């Protein structure tokens, strides 16, 4: 007879194993050293590896349009027109989102770190969907299970260098 724990672990690995299509590491990608066009802003969304929230990919939206997803331990690089923007992150299977306003400048590169919001993850783990709803009730645009923040480029480059780039 098959051990149920072992069977669940195998199924989980099969489900998660094919979820991420990545290119090479950021430091080796041509875009890492390419100049940012004057009529574009480069946004590098990154997420360090960690146990909390590691199975979930976080969806990235700019002005309510989805531009990609960032799994644990990866980076997403996009170019976007300059101007005011609302950047938000969320997870498809949860309640709420976290959003920040930014004004993007042409020819500039921005690094945005995505990480799990501890209180939201804890509420979800302990109380499920009810915990998510209660935890997000008074958060407005600062809810959801993930958060995003602008990070200084000198600090971010070291963190992003070895991460695979999501295609």
């Amino acid at each position: 007879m098959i051990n149920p724990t072992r069977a669940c672990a195998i199924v989980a690995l099969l489900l998660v194993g094919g979820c991420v299509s990545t290119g090479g590491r950021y430091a080796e990608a041509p875009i890492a050293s390419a100049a940012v066009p004057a009529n574009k802003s480069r946004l590098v969304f990154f997420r360090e590896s960690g146990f909390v929230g590691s199975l979930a990919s976080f969806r990235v939206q700019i002005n309510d349009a989805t531009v990609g997803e960032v799994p644990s331990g990866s980076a997403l690089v996009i170019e976007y027109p300059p101007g005011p923007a609302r950047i938000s992150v969320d997870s498809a299977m949860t309640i709420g989102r976290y959003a920040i306003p930014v004004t993007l400048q042409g020819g500039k590169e921005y690094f945005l770190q995505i990480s799990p919001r501890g209180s939201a993850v804890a509420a979800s783990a302990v109380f499920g969907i009810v915990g998510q709803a209660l935890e997000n009730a008074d958060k407005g645009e600062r809810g959801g299970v993930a958060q995003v923040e602008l990070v200084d480029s000198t600090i971010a480059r070291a963190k992003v260098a070895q991460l695979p780039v999501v295609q």
Side-chain angles (χ1 to χ4, degrees):
M1 182 160 172
I2 296 176
N3 179 330
T5 303
R6 184 174 292 168
C8 287
I10 291 169
V11 169
L13 286 173
L14 291 173
L15 289 172
V16 174
C19 290
V20 180
S21 171
T22 59
R25 289 181 289 200
Y26 176 78
E28 299 163 353
I31 200 161
S33 58
V36 181
N39 64 340
K40 297 284 184 183
S41 299
R42 181 172 300 141
L43 293 94
V44 181
F45 296 93
F46 69 97
R47 189 172 160 209
E48 295 180 276
S49 294
F51 178 75
V52 176
S54 62
L55 293 179
S57 287
F58 294 137
R59 181 174 47 191
V60 177
Q61 297 181 325
I62 302 177
N63 296 329
D64 296 321
T66 300
V67 295
E69 292 194 12
V70 182
S72 182
S74 65
L76 170 69
V77 182
I78 64 160
E79 291 188 347
Y80 199 82
R86 183 177 153 277
I87 296 174
S88 62
V89 293
D90 66 7
S91 180
M93 302 298 281
T94 61
I95 296 173
R97 73 173 54 181
Y98 193 98
I100 59 171
V102 296
T103 301
L104 303 172
Q105 297 176 6
K108 189 169 179 186
E109 185 171 48
Y110 297 87
F111 290 87
L112 297 107
Q113 183 168 14
I114 300 170
S115 57
R117 274 191 344 99
S119 62
V121 172
S124 178
V126 175
F127 300 108
I129 194 78
V130 173
Q132 286 180 35
L134 291 173
E135 203 280 331
N136 281 290
D138 64 347
K139 299 289 190 280
E141 289 282 289
R142 295 298 172 120
V145 295
Q147 62 188 7
V148 60
E149 63 181 333
L150 285 164
V151 179
D152 180 77
S153 64
T154 54
I155 295 168
R157 283 186 194 285
K159 292 182 177 186
V160 174
Q162 300 304 315
L163 296 178
V165 176
V166 177
Q167 301 292 315

